[in-house]
Amino acid sequence: MAAEEATHRPPTTPRPPATSRPDVSVVVPVYNTLRYLRSCLDSVLRQTIGADRMEIVAVDDGSTDGSGRLLDRYAAKHPGTVRVVHQSHSGGPASPCNRGLDLTTGRYVFFLGSDDRLGPEALERLVAAADRYGSDVVLGKVVGVNGRHVFSDVFADGNAVDVSLFDSALPWSLANTKLFRRDLVDRLGLRFPEDMPVLSDQPFTLAACYHARRISVLADYDYYHAVRRLDARNITYHSRVEQRLVSVERLFAYVAELIPAGERRDAVLRRHAGLELANLVGDDFRHLDRAAQERVHATVARLARRHVTDCLRDRLDIEARLRLGAVTAGGVDDLLAAIEQDSGRGVPATVFAGDRWHAGYPGAPARWTDVTDVRADWLARLDAVDVSWVDGHTLTVTTRSPYPRFATEAGPVRMLAGPVVGATRMDAGDPTGRTLRTDFALDRLLAASAASGQRHPVRAEVDGGHGRGGAAVRAPRLAAGRPRLLRHGARLYGVAATVDPRNGQLVLSVVPVTVGQLVGRLRRRGRRGPVTAQPSGRSAEALLGRHGHLEVRGAAQVQPGLLRRPDQPHHHPGAGGAAPDQARGVRVDV
């Protein structure tokens, strides 16, 4: 079958004979990650499982930044534990992963990104669980670092010995950052499809999970730290759109070959349709040239018509459902009109046709705008119209619904920023009852981000006469501000409200900032006045006053507010709150 040919092939390089087989082999594909590579390798070498029970196979995929030389130094320093292979740049992670897999000898194999790192006990815990439960695949808890987003729903219920691929959140966590039993990989002949420029880890992981006798999830420890690279080049959606089109199309074909049509296939494709496919026609779509828009539209329409069943459509989040509906019901201009409505004007009005509800997109066919069966989700679609600092303790998000009977029909409303629930109330200044104000406590946001930082997408949930529903909070026409620097314990964090460029969703980001990063950034920007703080001589406490103010004299420009409409005068909701330059968390451009 085509899907099997894309991912299954015999090893091309024989593995060396193993006199004493290690318990686990760690494959590290490397390409130009010098800044993070030392931390990555050290996190493996310091594993409590011990060097005698593991091996590291690092594949340098033609790095040009010195990563290859650093790998060679580690191999020389740790003979018998670290093995390095160099190859010409392949253009993607599939080839180095396959090359590393061919050379491993362990009973289990684990894939680690060269900019990521492991918790000290990760491998010991993972191997012990696999041996104890007879698991073919073990997924340890993944946490984001520097505000990197990870799907964490699969860990919400704690440890699980036996997890199903089809009735859990596992399809949303199909990265290859798991422990795989080597016998399973060899029996299936699993390899990464090298004809998929991106997303190549998903067919590998999906096949392993589909055929596994048992999949276990461990949520009791931070096993894998997925790092957002702050120094990486910004590879935009439109610069890689052709690669994504090829990869998404092959991914759908692979799923269709692997899993028979029906509810189980829909359970997996819910992720691929709601994420990879819908993202192709996200807000960034409007920035493509017309020829690229036509190609994307044609591919997405073809895949949606072929693979998105009525049952699957009804299980999609309302954002993905409406966007894919725009593609299948009309042409490029219809899609652009829907995107412009969402990103420029906000949630459209509700149009009533008898007892049916429709999303009031301009010129849109009724067959895809019908939201009658998901009215609760539709009511949860709110626009963020202002984000402001009330004081040094609170970030207030103001949202608005266009639905005239929102106050009476939506029921209780919850606003969440990731796992953090805000305190929501109706805005007394709006007699229509369509405006909400939600206070997010900064100490809770900081605590939820721990030491690594997180991106917290903002979401609304309603529970009224039309049932329970939820939707992402979009932020049309809000101008992004720069982070405000705050202290939590002994650490500095940049806290900001941003808009995800792919889907327009409001996100509250918390990213750790070192003193050296702060001072270096300020120096590079050449701000007027001397920077008196020295990264090696002053701690976070020295830079922050006892109330959490930043004290980099002559360097920091304090500005009020975070996000607001460009044409909207700044104001602070909540009379009596401290002025921005008097708050505990002074906003600083960093």
Side-chain angles (χ1 to χ4, degrees):
M1 293 183 293
E4 291 182 344
E5 292 172 358
T7 55
H8 300 184
R9 64 172 175 80
T12 57
T13 305
R15 293 195 300 277
T19 54
S20 58
R21 190 179 188 186
D23 284 327
V24 58
S25 302
V26 181
V27 176
V28 186
V30 179
Y31 179 67
N32 286 352
T33 53
L34 183 61
R35 176 176 176 178
Y36 302 90
L37 185 55
R38 189 183 301 275
S39 175
C40 170
L41 297 173
D42 287 346
S43 78
V44 186
L45 290 166
R46 293 169 182 164
Q47 288 293 297
T48 57
I49 198 171
D52 59 326
R53 296 180 58 194
M54 70 174 181
E55 66 176 354
I56 304 170
V57 179
V59 181
D60 172 28
D61 193 44
S63 296
T64 58
D65 67 343
S67 293
R69 292 189 295 274
L70 179 62
L71 289 174
D72 289 339
R73 291 198 293 273
Y74 269 82
K77 186 176 180 180
H78 303 277
T81 301
V82 178
R83 182 176 185 186
V84 175
V85 179
H86 300 275
Q87 65 178 33
S88 300
H89 184 49
S90 66
S95 173
C97 283
N98 286 337
R99 184 80 180 277
L101 186 58
D102 291 344
L103 299 173
T104 58
T105 63
R107 294 191 298 121
Y108 298 98
V109 62
F110 190 94
F111 296 93
L112 174 63
S114 59
D115 42 8
D116 301 331
R117 57 181 182 266
L118 297 176
E121 301 173 19
L123 295 180
E124 184 176 20
R125 287 169 173 257
L126 290 167
V127 170
D131 285 342
R132 182 183 309 120
Y133 305 131
S135 307
D136 286 331
V137 180
V138 184
L139 168 59
K141 182 180 178 183
V142 182
V143 295
V145 179
N146 294 338
R148 180 168 170 180
H149 175 68
V150 297
F151 288 101
S152 57
D153 287 356
V154 72
F155 308 113
D157 295 329
N159 288 1
V161 172
D162 204 342
V163 174
S164 168
L165 176 64
F166 306 110
D167 59 6
S168 72
L170 183 59
W172 295 88
S173 299
L174 288 180
N176 63 342
T177 52
K178 299 169 178 62
L179 188 78
F180 298 94
R181 187 179 294 273
R182 181 70 203 215
D183 289 347
L184 174 74
V185 173
D186 287 346
R187 175 167 57 86
L188 298 174
L190 291 181
R191 291 297 184 273
F192 295 81
E194 297 182 19
D195 59 352
M196 287 179 64
V198 295
L199 305 174
S200 60
D201 58 341
Q202 293 197 29
F204 180 97
T205 306
L206 182 60
C209 291
Y210 182 72
H211 292 287
R213 293 170 301 175
R214 172 169 288 169
I215 307 165
S216 298
V217 170
L218 303 180
D220 56 347
Y221 181 75
D222 290 348
Y223 290 81
Y224 194 100
H225 299 258
V227 179
R228 174 172 169 255
R229 292 176 57 186
L230 301 179
D231 64 340
R233 291 183 304 154
N234 182 27
I235 302 176
T236 63
Y237 159 80
H238 38 283
S239 69
R240 300 186 68 178
V241 67
E242 299 297 339
Q243 293 183 351
R244 299 198 70 81
L245 284 177
V246 169
S247 298
V248 169
E249 190 150 22
R250 288 175 179 161
L251 179 59
F252 271 78
Y254 180 76
V255 175
E257 289 282 355
L258 181 69
I259 306 172
E263 292 184 3
R264 299 209 305 170
R265 182 193 290 178
D266 285 350
V268 172
L269 286 183
R270 181 184 179 188
R271 174 247 163 86
H272 299 309
L275 187 64
E276 282 88 9
L277 196 62
N279 278 350
L280 285 169
V281 288
D283 287 9
D284 274 356
F285 177 85
R286 59 196 160 147
H287 302 307
L288 299 173
D289 61 60
R290 184 69 181 200
Q293 288 176 345
E294 295 283 358
R295 289 194 297 275
V296 171
H297 184 279
T299 299
V300 174
R302 182 174 63 255
L303 292 175
R305 293 189 181 108
R306 181 179 302 167
H307 297 288
V308 179
T309 64
D310 291 345
C311 178
L312 173 55
R313 179 199 62 209
D314 292 343
R315 296 183 64 190
L316 293 175
D317 287 346
I318 194 167
E319 295 279 346
R321 175 176 175 166
L322 288 171
R323 197 58 63 86
L324 293 179
V327 174
T328 57
V332 169
D333 290 333
D334 298 303
L335 174 59
L336 289 171
I339 294 174
E340 175 56 30
Q341 175 70 50
D342 287 338
S343 62
R345 293 186 291 275
V347 180
T350 304
V351 178
F352 301 95
D355 61 350
R356 309 301 295 180
W357 288 27
H358 293 269
Y361 287 97
R367 62 183 179 273
W368 72 265
T369 62
D370 193 317
V371 294
T372 307
D373 296 335
V374 287
R375 283 176 289 190
D377 291 335
W378 177 246
L379 286 175
R381 291 196 77 196
L382 304 173
D383 290 325
V385 296
D386 185 60
V387 182
S388 304
W389 298 91
V390 176
D391 51 33
H393 305 273
T394 307
L395 189 62
T396 296
V397 177
T398 303
T399 54
R400 185 169 296 139
S401 169
Y403 186 66
R405 298 190 298 273
F406 178 80
T408 57
E409 296 189 21
V413 181
R414 285 204 323 163
M415 298 284 289
L416 303 94
V420 179
V421 180
T424 301
R425 63 196 182 280
M426 290 290 181
D427 187 343
D430 180 2
T432 69
R434 295 184 293 117
T435 303
L436 302 172
R437 300 256 286 274
T438 302
D439 294 334
F440 289 102
L442 291 174
D443 58 348
R444 295 189 62 193
L445 283 173
L446 291 166
S449 305
S452 59
Q454 286 287 342
R455 296 173 70 252
H456 301 294
V458 180
R459 181 176 176 83
E461 296 181 351
V462 303
D463 188 4
H466 299 294
R468 294 182 179 180
V473 172
R474 296 179 62 92
R477 298 192 295 140
L478 283 180
R482 294 190 180 278
R484 175 178 286 198
L485 207 63
L486 298 173
R487 183 181 68 187
H488 182 68
R491 300 204 63 176
L492 295 174
Y493 293 86
V495 181
T498 61
V499 179
D500 190 320
R502 299 168 303 168
N503 56 27
Q505 185 172 8
L506 180 66
V507 177
L508 305 186
S509 296
V510 180
V511 178
V513 178
T514 67
V515 174
Q517 289 171 335
L518 171 64
V519 175
R521 183 75 60 86
L522 295 176
R523 282 176 170 160
R524 286 194 298 272
R525 291 195 173 189
R527 295 190 182 278
R528 288 180 296 178
V531 179
T532 59
Q534 299 297 324
S536 59
R538 299 192 70 184
S539 65
E541 290 86 342
L543 282 174
L544 289 170
R546 62 186 180 90
H547 295 301
H549 291 84
L550 181 71
E551 297 178 355
V552 182
R553 293 191 298 272
Q557 178 181 353
V558 178
Q559 297 182 5
L562 268 175
L563 289 181
R564 60 183 185 275
R565 295 184 187 277
D567 57 350
Q568 180 183 38
H570 180 75
H571 66 281
H572 290 275
D581 57 347
Q582 298 170 333
R584 286 204 325 139
V586 171
R587 159 115 179 266
V588 179
D589 282 357
V590 295

